[in-house]
Amino acid sequence: MEDLPPERTHSSRRKFFKTGATAAANLLAASEGLSKAAFEDAARGRSVQPTSPAWASDLIIYEIATKGFTSPRGPETGTFNSLKAKLPYLQELGITGIWLTGHSLADSHFFYNIWTQYANVEPQKIDPSLGTPQEFKALIAAVHQYGIRIFLDVHVHGILSFSPLIKEHPHWFRGGMWRMTDYDWAGGHTDLDDWWVNVWTNYVTEFGVDGFRLDFRIIRPDLWERIRQNAA
């Protein structure tokens, strides 16, 4: 295992958010064939896309569903700790980035009784079936020790319709799709904007994640710019 000096890891992670354009979102979303409208959304609010960091061009990204990647107590029982035990194997594969789909509170029955991050309930909370916040932080620290970066999956369009967030903040939501309720991103809700920025900034400053992969499409790039600035 190649240990990275703490100051080097910290500096490179901060540099990514300062100079990059949420690298995981750009790299992975582009590969999924976003529509022209989606790219127009992404460009709204700034005239020039910030330059991605040099290391982004050489990333070898491995998608990991936290629940399904390991089976410590049978199928779909993976946790932060069981994933951490597999880091030597992942380093041997030669990957340099993990797209982690599985960290926040989600429902285990919505998609045919399979736990998935896309059955999102409360993105600001760590799912206790995966581990504690302390174990999540320890996983990220261990990932960095192996010279790997980690990107969280972000469900940008909405959450499950029974989420407590909808009852607590009904004005944040409008319409929906796929039996989910959508955030009202065009409604001018500054409290929603601030909450969103704080949630994802916290994952960088408190837990040490390196970036995000945005599911569905890039929405409200102005908010991601604020997140980048907060984490710089």
Side-chain angles (χ1 to χ4, degrees), residues 17-228:
F17 274 93
K18 186 174 182 180
T19 64
T22 314
N26 290 345
L27 294 169
L28 298 176
S31 71
E32 292 177 355
L34 286 173
S35 66
K36 179 180 179 181
F39 283 113
E40 290 173 349
D41 251 1
R44 191 172 297 135
R46 62 168 169 256
S47 57
V48 179
Q49 179 79 4
T51 302
S52 295
W55 55 259
S57 63
D58 296 323
L59 274 176
I60 302 172
I61 300 176
Y62 193 104
E63 180 185 3
I64 290 179
T66 312
K67 280 280 189 180
F69 187 67
T70 60
S71 306
R73 299 184 308 280
E76 299 295 322
T77 61
T79 64
F80 299 137
N81 285 339
S82 62
L83 171 55
K84 185 168 67 172
K86 285 290 189 178
L87 290 178
Y89 162 73
L90 292 170
Q91 185 187 49
E92 185 178 350
L93 288 180
I95 71 165
T96 57
I98 292 174
W99 160 11
L100 188 68
T101 175
H103 71 282
S104 66
L105 190 62
D107 183 73
S108 60
H109 303 293
F110 186 76
F111 286 107
Y112 307 100
N113 294 320
I114 297 175
W115 191 101
T116 169
Q117 186 65 82
Y118 302 117
N120 191 21
V121 178
E122 292 186 272
Q124 79 279 16
K125 294 183 179 179
I126 298 298
D127 194 305
S129 69
L130 300 174
T132 66
Q134 293 75 24
E135 289 168 341
F136 181 52
K137 189 171 185 176
L139 167 64
I140 295 170
V143 166
H144 290 154
Q145 287 182 331
Y146 280 87
I148 299 171
R149 291 179 169 87
I150 189 164
F151 309 101
L152 300 186
D153 220 345
V154 181
H155 207 191
V156 298
H157 80 82
I159 55 179
L160 293 189
S161 296
F162 60 79
S163 170
L165 285 171
I166 299 173
K167 184 176 181 179
E168 295 167 5
H169 307 281
H171 62 292
W172 287 3
F173 301 91
R174 180 179 181 182
M177 61 183 77
W178 302 315
R179 295 185 293 141
M180 304 181 77
T181 300
D182 287 354
Y183 297 109
D184 183 15
W185 289 122
H189 310 298
T190 57
D191 52 344
L192 169 60
D193 294 352
D194 291 344
W195 172 80
W196 186 261
V197 168
N198 289 336
V199 166
W200 302 109
T201 296
N202 185 66
Y203 279 114
V204 179
T205 58
E206 295 300 319
F207 292 98
V209 305
D210 298 287
F212 305 95
R213 178 264 180 186
L214 307 186
D215 184 62
F216 181 58
R217 64 187 176 123
I218 301 173
I219 296 177
R220 293 296 304 274
D222 58 313
L223 299 184
W224 290 100
E225 182 64 32
R226 287 173 57 187
I227 294 166
R228 187 181 301 110

